[in-house]
Amino acid sequence: MTWQPTSLLITGGAGFIGSNFVHFARTAYPGARLIVLDALTYAGNRSNLSALEQDSRFTFVHGDICDRPLVDSLLATHRVDTIVHFAAESHVDRSIEGPDAFIEANIVGTHVLLGACRKAWLPENAPPLPHRFHHVSTDEVYGSLEPDDHPFTETTAYSPNSPYAASKASADHLVRAYARTFGLSITLTNCSNNYGPYQFPEKLIPLIIVRLLAGEPLPVYGDGRNVRDWLYVGDHCAGIDLVLREASPGTTYNIGGGTELENIELVRRLCAIADEEFALDAALRSRFPRCPAASAKPCISLLTYVKDRAGHDRRYAIDSSKIERELGYAARTELSSGLRQTFRWYLANEAWWRR
């Protein structure tokens, strides 16, 4: 039976993937209330949601998922029947430098949400209320693949290698435990590397774009041959929507883009896009004079290899055959098209990334 949300609480909805999903959800669930809870840490930006500020069905709450009284109040006041949980610390480098924030947000925060949902939706001595808790996770919980290994499936054993990945793995286990022990109606997705609009420039793709526009070195870890599977954020949102609506409670799906690429090749492609865009648009050459392409020099000249980070996983790859087979999912954005769309978004939103 198709699940139809009436009141969604979207945690981390001012962040990268969360804000893209909020915009997706406004169209996908036109009659539903959307409540966004976000702590607005460095990677959250309320302006990501500015187009919805005048929508009477939209509510933004500046707060922390670890604040149990606040979460209890939101669930009751807005009669929330669906949570889509994006809120998380998510940058591997930061988790190596300071793991504590990742334990607090990703493990404790998820547990607070689950406890509040149990109280609101599974009352003692009464039937459960209709509900759904969707947890958004990552392929990094599975660890690292060798070049010839089969991509991660939903049955791949967890083997996280960074504090970030370990904290997300812990959250996944908590979500499944609340389903098994208490009967919470959950779904869970593990996605590959996302890219697209609103991504904070600490992640590889926006970092490269912003640096090449500024004429700054383009840092690539190690030999640059680490492999990632790239998923356009709009395709990810569509996959989450499919799972939320159509999946059986308790199920897990992997969502991937089906495009594996070495980091060094990704950087080369972004540089080539920049070279082409600047060659066609004199205004870009005036706006970003420090970019090599402004002087008809190749952007790849900025490439700089840097010391590899600790515990750097060699390869991630997602097998999406289960969600394709069972729910009809397909990643529709080809990588070259998605990268060019993303590059043009950062060109058009300079004030956003210079904030």
Side-chain angles (χ1 to χ4, degrees), residues 201-238:
E202 66 181 356
K203 300 297 178 74
L204 181 58
I205 288 176
L207 176 70
I208 295 300
I209 293 172
V210 168
R211 280 181 166 265
L212 66 81
L213 292 176
E216 298 174 353
L218 308 180
V220 174
Y221 281 129
D223 62 3
R225 302 196 66 184
N226 300 77
V227 174
R228 298 294 180 263
D229 173 18
W230 293 97
L231 171 65
Y232 189 67
V233 67
D235 291 335
H236 185 198
C237 291

PDB file of all heavy atoms in Angstrom, residues 201-238:
ATOM      1  N   PRO A 201      31.179  23.982  -0.096  1.00  0.00           N
ATOM      2  CA  PRO A 201      32.445  23.762  -0.809  1.00  0.00           C
ATOM      3  C   PRO A 201      33.577  23.178   0.037  1.00  0.00           C
ATOM      4  O   PRO A 201      34.694  23.671   0.018  1.00  0.00           O
ATOM      5  CB  PRO A 201      32.809  25.180  -1.291  1.00  0.00           C
ATOM      6  CG  PRO A 201      31.575  25.949  -1.265  1.00  0.00           C
ATOM      7  CD  PRO A 201      30.791  25.402  -0.109  1.00  0.00           C
ATOM      8  N   GLU A 202      33.278  22.120   0.764  1.00  0.00           N
ATOM      9  CA  GLU A 202      34.330  21.317   1.381  1.00  0.00           C
ATOM     10  C   GLU A 202      34.392  19.953   0.699  1.00  0.00           C
ATOM     11  O   GLU A 202      35.400  19.262   0.776  1.00  0.00           O
ATOM     12  CB  GLU A 202      34.067  21.126   2.882  1.00  0.00           C
ATOM     13  CG  GLU A 202      32.828  20.312   3.198  1.00  0.00           C
ATOM     14  CD  GLU A 202      32.569  20.143   4.688  1.00  0.00           C
ATOM     15  OE1 GLU A 202      33.407  20.605   5.477  1.00  0.00           O
ATOM     16  OE2 GLU A 202      31.525  19.568   5.043  1.00  0.00           O
ATOM     17  N   LYS A 203      33.309  19.587   0.035  1.00  0.00           N
ATOM     18  CA  LYS A 203      33.247  18.329  -0.697  1.00  0.00           C
ATOM     19  C   LYS A 203      33.903  18.510  -2.070  1.00  0.00           C
ATOM     20  O   LYS A 203      34.008  19.613  -2.591  1.00  0.00           O
ATOM     21  CB  LYS A 203      31.798  17.859  -0.838  1.00  0.00           C
ATOM     22  CG  LYS A 203      31.079  17.622   0.493  1.00  0.00           C
ATOM     23  CD  LYS A 203      31.741  16.516   1.301  1.00  0.00           C
ATOM     24  CE  LYS A 203      31.061  16.296   2.649  1.00  0.00           C
ATOM     25  NZ  LYS A 203      29.777  15.630   2.541  1.00  0.00           N
ATOM     26  N   LEU A 204      34.317  17.410  -2.683  1.00  0.00           N
ATOM     27  CA  LEU A 204      35.231  17.472  -3.809  1.00  0.00           C
ATOM     28  C   LEU A 204      34.729  18.327  -4.971  1.00  0.00           C
ATOM     29  O   LEU A 204      35.456  19.211  -5.462  1.00  0.00           O
ATOM     30  CB  LEU A 204      35.539  16.050  -4.301  1.00  0.00           C
ATOM     31  CG  LEU A 204      36.512  15.951  -5.478  1.00  0.00           C
ATOM     32  CD1 LEU A 204      37.850  16.593  -5.140  1.00  0.00           C
ATOM     33  CD2 LEU A 204      36.699  14.489  -5.888  1.00  0.00           C
ATOM     34  N   ILE A 205      33.520  18.088  -5.456  1.00  0.00           N
ATOM     35  CA  ILE A 205      33.074  18.781  -6.659  1.00  0.00           C
ATOM     36  C   ILE A 205      32.946  20.286  -6.451  1.00  0.00           C
ATOM     37  O   ILE A 205      33.533  21.078  -7.209  1.00  0.00           O
ATOM     38  CB  ILE A 205      31.785  18.143  -7.209  1.00  0.00           C
ATOM     39  CG1 ILE A 205      32.122  16.781  -7.822  1.00  0.00           C
ATOM     40  CG2 ILE A 205      31.098  19.049  -8.236  1.00  0.00           C
ATOM     41  CD1 ILE A 205      30.933  15.985  -8.316  1.00  0.00           C
ATOM     42  N   PRO A 206      32.209  20.766  -5.443  1.00  0.00           N
ATOM     43  CA  PRO A 206      32.164  22.228  -5.272  1.00  0.00           C
ATOM     44  C   PRO A 206      33.505  22.830  -4.887  1.00  0.00           C
ATOM     45  O   PRO A 206      33.799  23.973  -5.250  1.00  0.00           O
ATOM     46  CB  PRO A 206      31.110  22.419  -4.175  1.00  0.00           C
ATOM     47  CG  PRO A 206      31.054  21.125  -3.447  1.00  0.00           C
ATOM     48  CD  PRO A 206      31.330  20.077  -4.478  1.00  0.00           C
ATOM     49  N   LEU A 207      34.323  22.075  -4.167  1.00  0.00           N
ATOM     50  CA  LEU A 207      35.653  22.575  -3.821  1.00  0.00           C
ATOM     51  C   LEU A 207      36.466  22.851  -5.079  1.00  0.00           C
ATOM     52  O   LEU A 207      37.102  23.914  -5.213  1.00  0.00           O
ATOM     53  CB  LEU A 207      36.379  21.563  -2.940  1.00  0.00           C
ATOM     54  CG  LEU A 207      37.831  21.912  -2.577  1.00  0.00           C
ATOM     55  CD1 LEU A 207      37.866  23.084  -1.613  1.00  0.00           C
ATOM     56  CD2 LEU A 207      38.541  20.704  -1.973  1.00  0.00           C
ATOM     57  N   ILE A 208      36.444  21.910  -6.006  1.00  0.00           N
ATOM     58  CA  ILE A 208      37.199  22.083  -7.247  1.00  0.00           C
ATOM     59  C   ILE A 208      36.641  23.255  -8.046  1.00  0.00           C
ATOM     60  O   ILE A 208      37.391  24.085  -8.581  1.00  0.00           O
ATOM     61  CB  ILE A 208      37.175  20.791  -8.074  1.00  0.00           C
ATOM     62  CG1 ILE A 208      37.917  19.665  -7.325  1.00  0.00           C
ATOM     63  CG2 ILE A 208      37.762  21.016  -9.454  1.00  0.00           C
ATOM     64  CD1 ILE A 208      39.378  19.963  -7.026  1.00  0.00           C
ATOM     65  N   ILE A 209      35.330  23.359  -8.140  1.00  0.00           N
ATOM     66  CA  ILE A 209      34.715  24.450  -8.897  1.00  0.00           C
ATOM     67  C   ILE A 209      35.103  25.803  -8.318  1.00  0.00           C
ATOM     68  O   ILE A 209      35.539  26.716  -9.038  1.00  0.00           O
ATOM     69  CB  ILE A 209      33.181  24.294  -8.928  1.00  0.00           C
ATOM     70  CG1 ILE A 209      32.780  23.065  -9.744  1.00  0.00           C
ATOM     71  CG2 ILE A 209      32.523  25.554  -9.507  1.00  0.00           C
ATOM     72  CD1 ILE A 209      31.300  22.730  -9.675  1.00  0.00           C
ATOM     73  N   VAL A 210      34.940  25.964  -7.014  1.00  0.00           N
ATOM     74  CA  VAL A 210      35.225  27.249  -6.377  1.00  0.00           C
ATOM     75  C   VAL A 210      36.701  27.601  -6.491  1.00  0.00           C
ATOM     76  O   VAL A 210      37.074  28.758  -6.762  1.00  0.00           O
ATOM     77  CB  VAL A 210      34.769  27.206  -4.905  1.00  0.00           C
ATOM     78  CG1 VAL A 210      35.301  28.410  -4.130  1.00  0.00           C
ATOM     79  CG2 VAL A 210      33.244  27.167  -4.833  1.00  0.00           C
ATOM     80  N   ARG A 211      37.573  26.617  -6.319  1.00  0.00           N
ATOM     81  CA  ARG A 211      39.009  26.896  -6.381  1.00  0.00           C
ATOM     82  C   ARG A 211      39.466  27.233  -7.798  1.00  0.00           C
ATOM     83  O   ARG A 211      40.305  28.123  -8.007  1.00  0.00           O
ATOM     84  CB  ARG A 211      39.789  25.708  -5.832  1.00  0.00           C
ATOM     85  CG  ARG A 211      39.836  25.677  -4.302  1.00  0.00           C
ATOM     86  CD  ARG A 211      40.640  24.501  -3.800  1.00  0.00           C
ATOM     87  NE  ARG A 211      40.967  24.657  -2.388  1.00  0.00           N
ATOM     88  CZ  ARG A 211      42.106  25.164  -1.918  1.00  0.00           C
ATOM     89  NH1 ARG A 211      43.027  25.572  -2.770  1.00  0.00           N
ATOM     90  NH2 ARG A 211      42.328  25.268  -0.628  1.00  0.00           N
ATOM     91  N   LEU A 212      38.948  26.535  -8.786  1.00  0.00           N
ATOM     92  CA  LEU A 212      39.410  26.851 -10.149  1.00  0.00           C
ATOM     93  C   LEU A 212      38.906  28.226 -10.580  1.00  0.00           C
ATOM     94  O   LEU A 212      39.596  28.953 -11.311  1.00  0.00           O
ATOM     95  CB  LEU A 212      39.044  25.750 -11.137  1.00  0.00           C
ATOM     96  CG  LEU A 212      37.593  25.449 -11.494  1.00  0.00           C
ATOM     97  CD1 LEU A 212      37.059  26.405 -12.544  1.00  0.00           C
ATOM     98  CD2 LEU A 212      37.485  24.018 -12.015  1.00  0.00           C
ATOM     99  N   LEU A 213      37.712  28.630 -10.110  1.00  0.00           N
ATOM    100  CA  LEU A 213      37.220  29.976 -10.415  1.00  0.00           C
ATOM    101  C   LEU A 213      38.102  31.042  -9.773  1.00  0.00           C
ATOM    102  O   LEU A 213      38.270  32.139 -10.321  1.00  0.00           O
ATOM    103  CB  LEU A 213      35.772  30.137  -9.944  1.00  0.00           C
ATOM    104  CG  LEU A 213      34.720  29.317 -10.693  1.00  0.00           C
ATOM    105  CD1 LEU A 213      33.347  29.494 -10.059  1.00  0.00           C
ATOM    106  CD2 LEU A 213      34.677  29.701 -12.172  1.00  0.00           C
ATOM    107  N   ALA A 214      38.668  30.709  -8.603  1.00  0.00           N
ATOM    108  CA  ALA A 214      39.535  31.652  -7.896  1.00  0.00           C
ATOM    109  C   ALA A 214      40.995  31.554  -8.333  1.00  0.00           C
ATOM    110  O   ALA A 214      41.842  32.323  -7.853  1.00  0.00           O
ATOM    111  CB  ALA A 214      39.424  31.423  -6.394  1.00  0.00           C
ATOM    112  N   GLY A 215      41.303  30.602  -9.197  1.00  0.00           N
ATOM    113  CA  GLY A 215      42.675  30.418  -9.625  1.00  0.00           C
ATOM    114  C   GLY A 215      43.567  29.836  -8.553  1.00  0.00           C
ATOM    115  O   GLY A 215      44.782  30.069  -8.545  1.00  0.00           O
ATOM    116  N   GLU A 216      42.973  29.031  -7.648  1.00  0.00           N
ATOM    117  CA  GLU A 216      43.715  28.430  -6.544  1.00  0.00           C
ATOM    118  C   GLU A 216      44.043  26.971  -6.848  1.00  0.00           C
ATOM    119  O   GLU A 216      43.380  26.333  -7.671  1.00  0.00           O
ATOM    120  CB  GLU A 216      42.897  28.525  -5.254  1.00  0.00           C
ATOM    121  CG  GLU A 216      42.620  29.963  -4.819  1.00  0.00           C
ATOM    122  CD  GLU A 216      41.693  30.035  -3.611  1.00  0.00           C
ATOM    123  OE1 GLU A 216      41.160  28.969  -3.205  1.00  0.00           O
ATOM    124  OE2 GLU A 216      41.496  31.147  -3.093  1.00  0.00           O
ATOM    125  N   PRO A 217      45.073  26.410  -6.181  1.00  0.00           N
ATOM    126  CA  PRO A 217      45.431  25.009  -6.423  1.00  0.00           C
ATOM    127  C   PRO A 217      44.248  24.064  -6.210  1.00  0.00           C
ATOM    128  O   PRO A 217      43.423  24.264  -5.311  1.00  0.00           O
ATOM    129  CB  PRO A 217      46.545  24.755  -5.396  1.00  0.00           C
ATOM    130  CG  PRO A 217      47.117  26.100  -5.122  1.00  0.00           C
ATOM    131  CD  PRO A 217      45.971  27.061  -5.213  1.00  0.00           C
ATOM    132  N   LEU A 218      44.180  23.027  -7.039  1.00  0.00           N
ATOM    133  CA  LEU A 218      43.124  22.021  -6.946  1.00  0.00           C
ATOM    134  C   LEU A 218      43.701  20.799  -6.246  1.00  0.00           C
ATOM    135  O   LEU A 218      44.423  20.001  -6.860  1.00  0.00           O
ATOM    136  CB  LEU A 218      42.627  21.650  -8.345  1.00  0.00           C
ATOM    137  CG  LEU A 218      42.221  22.811  -9.255  1.00  0.00           C
ATOM    138  CD1 LEU A 218      41.742  22.280 -10.614  1.00  0.00           C
ATOM    139  CD2 LEU A 218      41.140  23.671  -8.599  1.00  0.00           C
ATOM    140  N   PRO A 219      43.418  20.620  -4.951  1.00  0.00           N
ATOM    141  CA  PRO A 219      44.062  19.537  -4.194  1.00  0.00           C
ATOM    142  C   PRO A 219      43.436  18.176  -4.479  1.00  0.00           C
ATOM    143  O   PRO A 219      42.213  18.011  -4.433  1.00  0.00           O
ATOM    144  CB  PRO A 219      43.819  19.956  -2.743  1.00  0.00           C
ATOM    145  CG  PRO A 219      42.540  20.736  -2.784  1.00  0.00           C
ATOM    146  CD  PRO A 219      42.529  21.435  -4.110  1.00  0.00           C
ATOM    147  N   VAL A 220      44.268  17.211  -4.776  1.00  0.00           N
ATOM    148  CA  VAL A 220      43.821  15.833  -5.003  1.00  0.00           C
ATOM    149  C   VAL A 220      44.641  14.931  -4.088  1.00  0.00           C
ATOM    150  O   VAL A 220      45.871  14.944  -4.123  1.00  0.00           O
ATOM    151  CB  VAL A 220      44.011  15.417  -6.477  1.00  0.00           C
ATOM    152  CG1 VAL A 220      43.668  13.946  -6.660  1.00  0.00           C
ATOM    153  CG2 VAL A 220      43.150  16.293  -7.381  1.00  0.00           C
ATOM    154  N   TYR A 221      43.931  14.134  -3.276  1.00  0.00           N
ATOM    155  CA  TYR A 221      44.610  13.261  -2.316  1.00  0.00           C
ATOM    156  C   TYR A 221      45.402  12.143  -3.013  1.00  0.00           C
ATOM    157  O   TYR A 221      44.931  11.543  -3.984  1.00  0.00           O
ATOM    158  CB  TYR A 221      43.598  12.604  -1.390  1.00  0.00           C
ATOM    159  CG  TYR A 221      43.096  13.482  -0.263  1.00  0.00           C
ATOM    160  CD1 TYR A 221      41.730  13.623  -0.030  1.00  0.00           C
ATOM    161  CD2 TYR A 221      43.973  14.129   0.602  1.00  0.00           C
ATOM    162  CE1 TYR A 221      41.251  14.402   1.008  1.00  0.00           C
ATOM    163  CE2 TYR A 221      43.511  14.910   1.640  1.00  0.00           C
ATOM    164  CZ  TYR A 221      42.146  15.049   1.838  1.00  0.00           C
ATOM    165  OH  TYR A 221      41.679  15.824   2.876  1.00  0.00           O
ATOM    166  N   GLY A 222      46.588  11.849  -2.451  1.00  0.00           N
ATOM    167  CA  GLY A 222      47.359  10.689  -2.881  1.00  0.00           C
ATOM    168  C   GLY A 222      47.658  10.696  -4.363  1.00  0.00           C
ATOM    169  O   GLY A 222      48.126  11.695  -4.925  1.00  0.00           O
ATOM    170  N   ASP A 223      47.346   9.562  -5.020  1.00  0.00           N
ATOM    171  CA  ASP A 223      47.595   9.463  -6.463  1.00  0.00           C
ATOM    172  C   ASP A 223      46.354   9.838  -7.286  1.00  0.00           C
ATOM    173  O   ASP A 223      46.374   9.764  -8.517  1.00  0.00           O
ATOM    174  CB  ASP A 223      48.072   8.065  -6.834  1.00  0.00           C
ATOM    175  CG  ASP A 223      47.051   6.971  -6.526  1.00  0.00           C
ATOM    176  OD1 ASP A 223      45.929   7.308  -6.068  1.00  0.00           O
ATOM    177  OD2 ASP A 223      47.363   5.783  -6.716  1.00  0.00           O
ATOM    178  N   GLY A 224      45.265  10.200  -6.592  1.00  0.00           N
ATOM    179  CA  GLY A 224      44.051  10.618  -7.290  1.00  0.00           C
ATOM    180  C   GLY A 224      43.226   9.492  -7.864  1.00  0.00           C
ATOM    181  O   GLY A 224      42.233   9.731  -8.557  1.00  0.00           O
ATOM    182  N   ARG A 225      43.599   8.263  -7.567  1.00  0.00           N
ATOM    183  CA  ARG A 225      42.922   7.134  -8.209  1.00  0.00           C
ATOM    184  C   ARG A 225      41.859   6.477  -7.330  1.00  0.00           C
ATOM    185  O   ARG A 225      41.381   5.389  -7.651  1.00  0.00           O
ATOM    186  CB  ARG A 225      43.958   6.120  -8.679  1.00  0.00           C
ATOM    187  CG  ARG A 225      44.981   6.721  -9.643  1.00  0.00           C
ATOM    188  CD  ARG A 225      45.738   5.670 -10.391  1.00  0.00           C
ATOM    189  NE  ARG A 225      44.852   4.923 -11.291  1.00  0.00           N
ATOM    190  CZ  ARG A 225      45.240   3.890 -12.026  1.00  0.00           C
ATOM    191  NH1 ARG A 225      46.508   3.481 -11.962  1.00  0.00           N
ATOM    192  NH2 ARG A 225      44.397   3.258 -12.802  1.00  0.00           N
ATOM    193  N   ASN A 226      41.495   7.142  -6.245  1.00  0.00           N
ATOM    194  CA  ASN A 226      40.360   6.665  -5.450  1.00  0.00           C
ATOM    195  C   ASN A 226      39.096   6.788  -6.289  1.00  0.00           C
ATOM    196  O   ASN A 226      38.890   7.787  -6.978  1.00  0.00           O
ATOM    197  CB  ASN A 226      40.227   7.478  -4.166  1.00  0.00           C
ATOM    198  CG  ASN A 226      41.461   7.381  -3.304  1.00  0.00           C
ATOM    199  OD1 ASN A 226      42.472   8.018  -3.601  1.00  0.00           O
ATOM    200  ND2 ASN A 226      41.402   6.587  -2.254  1.00  0.00           N
ATOM    201  N   VAL A 227      38.249   5.779  -6.217  1.00  0.00           N
ATOM    202  CA  VAL A 227      37.074   5.697  -7.084  1.00  0.00           C
ATOM    203  C   VAL A 227      35.799   5.937  -6.282  1.00  0.00           C
ATOM    204  O   VAL A 227      35.625   5.381  -5.186  1.00  0.00           O
ATOM    205  CB  VAL A 227      37.001   4.312  -7.766  1.00  0.00           C
ATOM    206  CG1 VAL A 227      35.708   4.160  -8.561  1.00  0.00           C
ATOM    207  CG2 VAL A 227      38.208   4.111  -8.676  1.00  0.00           C
ATOM    208  N   ARG A 228      34.916   6.748  -6.846  1.00  0.00           N
ATOM    209  CA  ARG A 228      33.618   6.995  -6.232  1.00  0.00           C
ATOM    210  C   ARG A 228      32.513   6.823  -7.286  1.00  0.00           C
ATOM    211  O   ARG A 228      32.732   7.035  -8.484  1.00  0.00           O
ATOM    212  CB  ARG A 228      33.549   8.409  -5.638  1.00  0.00           C
ATOM    213  CG  ARG A 228      34.575   8.666  -4.519  1.00  0.00           C
ATOM    214  CD  ARG A 228      34.281   7.810  -3.301  1.00  0.00           C
ATOM    215  NE  ARG A 228      35.220   8.022  -2.204  1.00  0.00           N
ATOM    216  CZ  ARG A 228      36.283   7.270  -1.943  1.00  0.00           C
ATOM    217  NH1 ARG A 228      36.577   6.250  -2.750  1.00  0.00           N
ATOM    218  NH2 ARG A 228      37.057   7.512  -0.902  1.00  0.00           N
ATOM    219  N   ASP A 229      31.323   6.476  -6.804  1.00  0.00           N
ATOM    220  CA  ASP A 229      30.131   6.371  -7.645  1.00  0.00           C
ATOM    221  C   ASP A 229      29.341   7.661  -7.443  1.00  0.00           C
ATOM    222  O   ASP A 229      28.928   7.963  -6.323  1.00  0.00           O
ATOM    223  CB  ASP A 229      29.322   5.143  -7.215  1.00  0.00           C
ATOM    224  CG  ASP A 229      27.979   5.021  -7.911  1.00  0.00           C
ATOM    225  OD1 ASP A 229      27.793   5.669  -8.960  1.00  0.00           O
ATOM    226  OD2 ASP A 229      27.110   4.294  -7.406  1.00  0.00           O
ATOM    227  N   TRP A 230      29.122   8.432  -8.514  1.00  0.00           N
ATOM    228  CA  TRP A 230      28.539   9.764  -8.396  1.00  0.00           C
ATOM    229  C   TRP A 230      27.048   9.764  -8.720  1.00  0.00           C
ATOM    230  O   TRP A 230      26.618   9.234  -9.743  1.00  0.00           O
ATOM    231  CB  TRP A 230      29.291  10.745  -9.289  1.00  0.00           C
ATOM    232  CG  TRP A 230      30.689  10.953  -8.791  1.00  0.00           C
ATOM    233  CD1 TRP A 230      31.825  10.336  -9.234  1.00  0.00           C
ATOM    234  CD2 TRP A 230      31.080  11.774  -7.687  1.00  0.00           C
ATOM    235  NE1 TRP A 230      32.912  10.746  -8.487  1.00  0.00           N
ATOM    236  CE2 TRP A 230      32.491  11.627  -7.530  1.00  0.00           C
ATOM    237  CE3 TRP A 230      30.405  12.630  -6.817  1.00  0.00           C
ATOM    238  CZ2 TRP A 230      33.215  12.297  -6.547  1.00  0.00           C
ATOM    239  CZ3 TRP A 230      31.116  13.303  -5.845  1.00  0.00           C
ATOM    240  CH2 TRP A 230      32.508  13.137  -5.718  1.00  0.00           C
ATOM    241  N   LEU A 231      26.271  10.392  -7.832  1.00  0.00           N
ATOM    242  CA  LEU A 231      24.811  10.405  -7.905  1.00  0.00           C
ATOM    243  C   LEU A 231      24.328  11.853  -7.851  1.00  0.00           C
ATOM    244  O   LEU A 231      24.601  12.574  -6.882  1.00  0.00           O
ATOM    245  CB  LEU A 231      24.231   9.620  -6.719  1.00  0.00           C
ATOM    246  CG  LEU A 231      22.720   9.668  -6.480  1.00  0.00           C
ATOM    247  CD1 LEU A 231      21.971   9.006  -7.637  1.00  0.00           C
ATOM    248  CD2 LEU A 231      22.378   8.974  -5.160  1.00  0.00           C
ATOM    249  N   TYR A 232      23.626  12.292  -8.892  1.00  0.00           N
ATOM    250  CA  TYR A 232      23.082  13.643  -8.896  1.00  0.00           C
ATOM    251  C   TYR A 232      22.001  13.744  -7.828  1.00  0.00           C
ATOM    252  O   TYR A 232      21.148  12.865  -7.678  1.00  0.00           O
ATOM    253  CB  TYR A 232      22.503  13.988 -10.262  1.00  0.00           C
ATOM    254  CG  TYR A 232      22.118  15.436 -10.403  1.00  0.00           C
ATOM    255  CD1 TYR A 232      23.090  16.434 -10.405  1.00  0.00           C
ATOM    256  CD2 TYR A 232      20.795  15.822 -10.513  1.00  0.00           C
ATOM    257  CE1 TYR A 232      22.751  17.776 -10.525  1.00  0.00           C
ATOM    258  CE2 TYR A 232      20.434  17.154 -10.643  1.00  0.00           C
ATOM    259  CZ  TYR A 232      21.418  18.134 -10.640  1.00  0.00           C
ATOM    260  OH  TYR A 232      21.073  19.462 -10.753  1.00  0.00           O
ATOM    261  N   VAL A 233      22.022  14.839  -7.065  1.00  0.00           N
ATOM    262  CA  VAL A 233      21.167  14.942  -5.884  1.00  0.00           C
ATOM    263  C   VAL A 233      19.678  14.853  -6.224  1.00  0.00           C
ATOM    264  O   VAL A 233      18.885  14.329  -5.445  1.00  0.00           O
ATOM    265  CB  VAL A 233      21.492  16.233  -5.102  1.00  0.00           C
ATOM    266  CG1 VAL A 233      21.107  17.473  -5.903  1.00  0.00           C
ATOM    267  CG2 VAL A 233      20.837  16.219  -3.730  1.00  0.00           C
ATOM    268  N   GLY A 234      19.289  15.351  -7.390  1.00  0.00           N
ATOM    269  CA  GLY A 234      17.883  15.248  -7.781  1.00  0.00           C
ATOM    270  C   GLY A 234      17.444  13.811  -7.980  1.00  0.00           C
ATOM    271  O   GLY A 234      16.311  13.431  -7.646  1.00  0.00           O
ATOM    272  N   ASP A 235      18.345  12.973  -8.515  1.00  0.00           N
ATOM    273  CA  ASP A 235      18.041  11.545  -8.665  1.00  0.00           C
ATOM    274  C   ASP A 235      17.951  10.872  -7.298  1.00  0.00           C
ATOM    275  O   ASP A 235      17.117   9.967  -7.094  1.00  0.00           O
ATOM    276  CB  ASP A 235      19.111  10.863  -9.515  1.00  0.00           C
ATOM    277  CG  ASP A 235      19.078  11.305 -10.964  1.00  0.00           C
ATOM    278  OD1 ASP A 235      18.013  11.739 -11.438  1.00  0.00           O
ATOM    279  OD2 ASP A 235      20.118  11.218 -11.629  1.00  0.00           O
ATOM    280  N   HIS A 236      18.804  11.300  -6.369  1.00  0.00           N
ATOM    281  CA  HIS A 236      18.733  10.753  -5.013  1.00  0.00           C
ATOM    282  C   HIS A 236      17.389  11.087  -4.375  1.00  0.00           C
ATOM    283  O   HIS A 236      16.738  10.221  -3.761  1.00  0.00           O
ATOM    284  CB  HIS A 236      19.880  11.318  -4.171  1.00  0.00           C
ATOM    285  CG  HIS A 236      19.974  10.731  -2.800  1.00  0.00           C
ATOM    286  ND1 HIS A 236      20.682  11.325  -1.784  1.00  0.00           N
ATOM    287  CD2 HIS A 236      19.445   9.607  -2.260  1.00  0.00           C
ATOM    288  CE1 HIS A 236      20.599  10.587  -0.698  1.00  0.00           C
ATOM    289  NE2 HIS A 236      19.841   9.541  -0.961  1.00  0.00           N
ATOM    290  N   CYS A 237      16.942  12.331  -4.509  1.00  0.00           N
ATOM    291  CA  CYS A 237      15.652  12.728  -3.936  1.00  0.00           C
ATOM    292  C   CYS A 237      14.510  11.895  -4.517  1.00  0.00           C
ATOM    293  O   CYS A 237      13.591  11.486  -3.794  1.00  0.00           O
ATOM    294  CB  CYS A 237      15.402  14.209  -4.185  1.00  0.00           C
ATOM    295  SG  CYS A 237      16.502  15.322  -3.270  1.00  0.00           S
ATOM    296  N   ALA A 238      14.573  11.646  -5.814  1.00  0.00           N
ATOM    297  CA  ALA A 238      13.540  10.816  -6.444  1.00  0.00           C
ATOM    298  C   ALA A 238      13.558   9.403  -5.884  1.00  0.00           C
ATOM    299  O   ALA A 238      12.506   8.773  -5.694  1.00  0.00           O
ATOM    300  CB  ALA A 238      13.735  10.803  -7.961  1.00  0.00           C
TER     301      ALA A 238
END
